[in-house]
């Protein structure tokens, strides 16, 4: 039986190696830094220079093929769910890039996303992680935000949520029955954008109609955030 | 040893073709890939089940979380699966979640030690044997001669069975310019209880091969499979992995091929 202290130390070092290798596979920014000064990157990950031999040569075609495959899988998923948002971002000076997302803590942190429809918890898809990351990065809840970008990102994410609701799903997704709504411009009362369960977009200006939306059980997309999902224990 | 032939079950969309294949005597079991879509119930098909998952990070320094493992244990207990298939993989940097397709770990001594600990604890939790499988390989191992040697070592240290994914194995050998039989001798043949076979495709770069469950196994994979069914002393199961979105005709064509090449080594459970 391995001594608990020794196991803890082993896991701690392996945790850092795992974090570095996964960053190198997914994140072009980390790859660039690694090629420029690997010792500095090792230090940033809390690793000593001698572990460098454990890390594969990232300049080989084999490494590039695996890294490209992993990045493209995530990128294609995001582009499929957020096509108009991507176009809008491309036309926006200094907008964050896909690399910024895939190198962010939000991408790595399962708690930055919604629970999966299968019921196994958070972090098993990237669409919700991307939406919440973009919302924060582009300040989409502030009155001076890019309203077009907000409209596209919210509409496309709401469409994804409704589609997830329409499949067999964990009860978490029941809140998206009937569709979702949000205010067109933050901190204004109207107009309200409503995406119905048939994926039709409505623009609502009538205050009485707007007041009815939460009463009939529709969800405000601005209120949807990663929940405090209760994870089960980990075998350690 | 009598062989059984099975088909991977990933989605309820496969129910009709799988039921037909079972009725026609082409398969003996389904290998269910847990976790399954919410509300689906492949157990209700009434076909014996082999439990499998690609969603536990068995090599992770973070350990294996029970969000998914508990569901697999419950399913394996309900179906009395003879073993549970697990991948040697990382899924991310946290105890839960997945960044996409399984991530091959660093094949080093310390990751092997952690994997053996994780798998032993998981096996004790399941109270059932585990069979370990490798994913497709692109990158040369840094701490072992190869990923096959890593698998051989971990399966011995954790005393597990092995699933030899013939397609993944051949993808690795092609991607790393190795001979097609490279690495098999690194694994104790008495531990190999199951083969996986599926399609593979050459990438647009015309250099690297990838797993492709929408395609059928090529002639080389089928030929190797045929030989392995004769050579491996503990082999019990051959599982065909085919995408639910791929054609039903292709699904039946391949199952007939597998049955032909296995011949009378298969148990006869035809309806």
């Amino acid at each position: 039986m391995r001594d608990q202290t020794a196991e803890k130390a082993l896991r701690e070092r392996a945790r850092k190696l795992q974090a570095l290798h996964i960053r190198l596979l997914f994140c072009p920014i980390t790859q660039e830094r690694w090629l420029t000064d690997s010792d500095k990157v090792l230090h940033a990950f809390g690793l000593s220079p001698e572990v460098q031999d454990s890390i594969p040569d990232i300049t080989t075609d084999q490494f590039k093929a695996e890294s490209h495959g992993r990045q493209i899988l995530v990128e294609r998923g995001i582009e499929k769910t957020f096509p108009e948002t991507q176009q809008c971002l491309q036309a926006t000076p200094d907008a964050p890039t896909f690399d910024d997302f895939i190198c962010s803590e939000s991408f790595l942190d399962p708690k930055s996303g919604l629970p999966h429809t299968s019921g196994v918890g958070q972090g098993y898809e990237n669409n919700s992680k991307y939406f919440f990351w973009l919302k924060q990065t582009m300040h989409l809840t502030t009155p001076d935000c890019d309203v077009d970008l907000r409209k596209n990102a919210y509409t496309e994410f709401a469409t994804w949520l409704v589609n997830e609701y329409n499949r067999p799903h964990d009860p978490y997704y029941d809140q998206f029955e009937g569709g979702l709504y949000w205010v067109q411009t933050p901190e204004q009362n109207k107009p309200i954008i409503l995406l119905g369960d048939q994926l039709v977009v409505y623009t609502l200006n009538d205050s009485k109609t707007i007041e009815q939306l939460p009463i009939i059980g529709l969800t405000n997309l601005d209120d949807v955030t990663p929940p405090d999902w209760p994870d089960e224990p980990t075998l350690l | 040893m009598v062989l059984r032939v099975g088909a991977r079950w990933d989605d309820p969309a496969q129910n009709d073709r799988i039921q037909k294949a079972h009725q026609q005597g082409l398969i003996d079991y389904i290998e269910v890939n847990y976790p399954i879509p919410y509300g689906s119930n492949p157990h209700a098909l009434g076909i014996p089940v082999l439990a499998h998952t690609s969603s536990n990070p068995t090599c992770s320094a973070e350990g294996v979380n029970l969000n998914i493992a508990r569901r697999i244990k419950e399913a394996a207990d309900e179906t009395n699966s003879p073993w549970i298939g697990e991948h040697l993989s990382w899924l991310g940097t946290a105890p839960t979640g997945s960044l996409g397709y399984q991530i091959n770990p660093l094949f080093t001594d310390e990751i092997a030690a952690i994997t053996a600990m994780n798998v032993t604890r998981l096996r004790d939790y399941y109270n059932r044997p585990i069979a370990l499988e490798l994913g497709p390989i692109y990158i040369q191992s840094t701490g072992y001669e190869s990923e096959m040697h890593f698998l051989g070592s971990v399966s011995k240290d954790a005393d597990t069975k092995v699933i030899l994914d013939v397609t993944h194995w051949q993808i690795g050998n092609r991607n790393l310019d190795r001979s097609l039989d490279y690495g098999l001798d690194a694994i104790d043949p008495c531990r190999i209880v199951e083969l996986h076979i599926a399609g593979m495709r050459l990438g647009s770069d015309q250099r690297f091969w990838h797993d492709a469950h929408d395609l059928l196994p090529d002639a080389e994979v089928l030929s190797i499979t045929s030989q392995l069914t004769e050579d491996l002393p503990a082999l019990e199961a051959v599982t065909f992995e085919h995408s639910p979105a791929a054609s039903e005709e292709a699904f039946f064509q391949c199952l007939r091929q597998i049955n032909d090449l296995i011949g009378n080594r298969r148990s006869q459970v035809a309806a």
Side-chain angles (χ1 to χ4, degrees):
Chain A
M1 179 65 76
R2 190 178 286 271
D3 172 79
Q4 277 190 345
T5 310
E7 180 181 337
K8 198 175 167 191
L10 176 69
R11 284 191 186 273
E12 192 50 38
R13 200 167 80 114
R15 188 174 282 126
K16 293 170 185 171
L17 260 181
Q18 184 174 337
L20 171 57
H21 186 55
I22 285 173
R23 282 278 191 181
L24 283 169
L25 281 171
F26 283 97
C27 174
I29 298 168
T30 307
Q31 289 176 0
E32 268 183 46
R33 288 179 184 154
W34 179 257
L35 291 174
T36 306
D37 189 345
S38 56
D39 281 350
K40 197 172 171 184
V41 175
L42 286 169
H43 182 73
F45 277 81
L47 290 161
S48 53
E50 61 263 27
V51 304
Q52 183 146 357
D53 289 347
S54 301
I55 304 292
D57 179 356
I58 74 165
T59 64
T60 62
D61 288 344
Q62 281 87 351
F63 185 94
K64 287 176 186 169
E66 174 150 6
S67 175
H68 174 74
R70 297 202 174 279
Q71 292 167 18
I72 208 78
L73 200 67
V74 180
E75 191 168 11
R76 281 186 187 149
I78 300 292
E79 282 174 355
K80 191 176 168 193
T81 304
F82 297 98
E84 300 291 331
T85 305
Q86 297 305 301
Q87 284 191 15
C88 199
L89 282 169
Q90 282 164 16
T92 306
D94 301 324
T97 63
F98 172 73
D99 285 357
D100 292 328
F101 169 64
I102 208 164
C103 293
S104 72
E105 288 301 323
S106 293
F107 172 64
L108 295 174
D109 180 7
K111 297 294 179 188
S112 65
L114 296 182
H116 193 261
T117 49
S118 66
V120 298
Q122 293 162 281
Y124 291 91
E125 49 76 30
N126 292 312
N127 289 312
S128 63
K129 287 192 283 187
Y130 180 77
F131 174 76
F132 294 122
W133 170 82
L134 187 68
K135 184 175 151 185
Q136 183 183 35
T137 307
M138 293 302 284
H139 311 290
L140 296 182
T141 54
T142 59
D144 57 347
C145 72
D146 180 334
V147 174
D148 276 348
L149 179 64
R150 176 179 159 93
K151 185 191 89 178
N152 285 321
Y154 276 54
T155 304
E156 290 178 332
F157 186 54
T159 301
W160 182 78
L161 289 172
V162 170
N163 283 331
E164 293 296 285
Y165 167 79
N166 285 332
R167 296 191 182 97
H169 55 262
D170 181 89
Y172 175 84
Y173 284 79
D174 285 348
Q175 63 183 300
F176 306 126
E177 181 181 7
L180 296 104
Y181 68 93
W182 59 94
V183 64
Q184 180 175 284
T185 306
E187 296 187 15
Q188 291 184 12
N189 293 328
K190 56 186 183 179
I192 291 284
I193 310 297
L194 167 68
L195 180 90
D197 55 5
Q198 300 302 309
L199 302 179
V200 176
V201 177
Y202 303 91
T203 303
L204 307 178
N205 277 294
D206 178 62
S207 298
K208 286 188 177 171
T209 305
I210 292 169
E211 281 170 15
Q212 290 300 308
L213 299 176
I215 294 168
I216 61 172
L218 295 183
T219 295
N220 184 339
L221 184 46
D222 272 313
D223 294 338
V224 177
T225 54
D228 186 15
W229 187 268
D231 281 326
E232 298 189 34
T234 294
L235 295 173
L236 276 173
Chain B
M1 185 66 71
V2 174
L3 270 178
R4 296 187 297 157
V5 172
R8 169 66 72 86
W9 187 100
D10 291 294
D11 191 277
Q14 294 167 289
N15 284 353
D16 283 350
R17 65 179 68 176
I18 277 177
Q19 240 166 353
K20 268 192 240 171
H22 189 245
Q23 284 162 2
Q24 292 176 22
L26 291 169
I27 59 170
D28 306 300
Y29 66 91
I30 48 174
E31 181 172 89
V32 177
N33 194 26
Y34 299 98
I36 56 179
Y38 196 88
S40 61
N41 185 12
H43 307 175
L45 293 170
I47 303 171
V49 167
L50 256 185
H52 192 84
T53 184
S54 328
S55 298
N56 279 330
T58 56
C59 304
S60 177
E62 301 285 351
V64 177
N65 183 273
L66 298 185
N67 279 3
I68 286 175
R70 179 179 57 77
R71 290 170 163 80
I72 296 159
K73 175 179 169 48
E74 288 169 0
D77 287 346
E78 184 186 331
T79 59
N80 197 24
S81 178
W83 59 80
I84 295 174
E86 291 276 352
H87 276 256
L88 288 172
S89 78
W90 288 337
L91 295 171
T93 57
T96 58
S98 170
L99 300 177
Y101 195 60
Q102 303 143 60
I103 301 164
N104 292 312
L106 289 170
F107 298 115
T108 65
D109 283 339
E110 61 189 340
I111 301 298
I114 283 167
T115 305
M117 286 190 283
N118 287 345
V119 170
T120 303
R121 283 169 200 167
L122 195 53
R123 186 191 59 211
D124 292 347
Y125 171 73
Y126 286 151
N127 194 25
R128 195 172 293 275
I130 282 177
L132 294 174
E133 176 187 1
L134 284 163
I137 300 291
Y138 298 84
I139 301 171
Q140 180 65 49
S141 168
T142 54
Y144 279 75
E145 181 182 322
S146 76
E147 75 285 354
M148 294 289 276
H149 293 78
F150 180 92
L151 170 58
S153 173
V154 170
S155 60
K156 186 176 166 209
D157 290 348
D159 191 18
T160 72
K161 299 173 186 294
V162 168
I163 297 171
L164 178 63
D165 189 309
V166 182
T167 304
H168 291 174
W169 176 39
Q170 290 308 303
I171 287 172
N173 283 348
R174 291 179 189 193
N175 288 343
L176 292 169
D177 301 317
R178 305 186 298 212
S179 63
L180 61 84
D181 60 346
Y182 175 84
L184 187 57
D185 57 0
I187 298 167
D188 176 356
C190 294
R191 294 187 184 278
I192 303 176
V193 290
E194 183 181 354
L195 302 180
H196 277 183
I197 58 173
M200 65 171 106
R201 67 176 172 82
L202 185 59
S204 56
D205 55 13
Q206 298 295 303
R207 168 67 182 88
F208 294 104
W209 290 83
H210 310 283
D211 209 13
H213 288 195
D214 53 326
L215 302 178
L216 295 182
D218 65 19
E220 193 164 86
V221 166
L222 288 172
S223 166
I224 294 169
T225 302
S226 177
Q227 190 61 48
L228 289 170
T229 60
E230 290 185 11
D231 296 346
L232 293 173
L235 191 65
E236 295 183 44
V238 178
T239 305
F240 171 42
E241 302 174 297
H242 197 228
S243 166
S247 92
E248 187 169 316
E249 190 185 339
F251 174 74
F252 281 100
Q253 175 197 327
C254 188
L255 282 178
R256 288 189 197 99
Q257 276 182 298
I258 294 168
N259 276 274
D260 286 347
L261 62 87
I262 290 176
N264 60 10
R265 293 189 295 283
R266 183 184 163 213
S267 62
Q268 295 301 309
V269 293

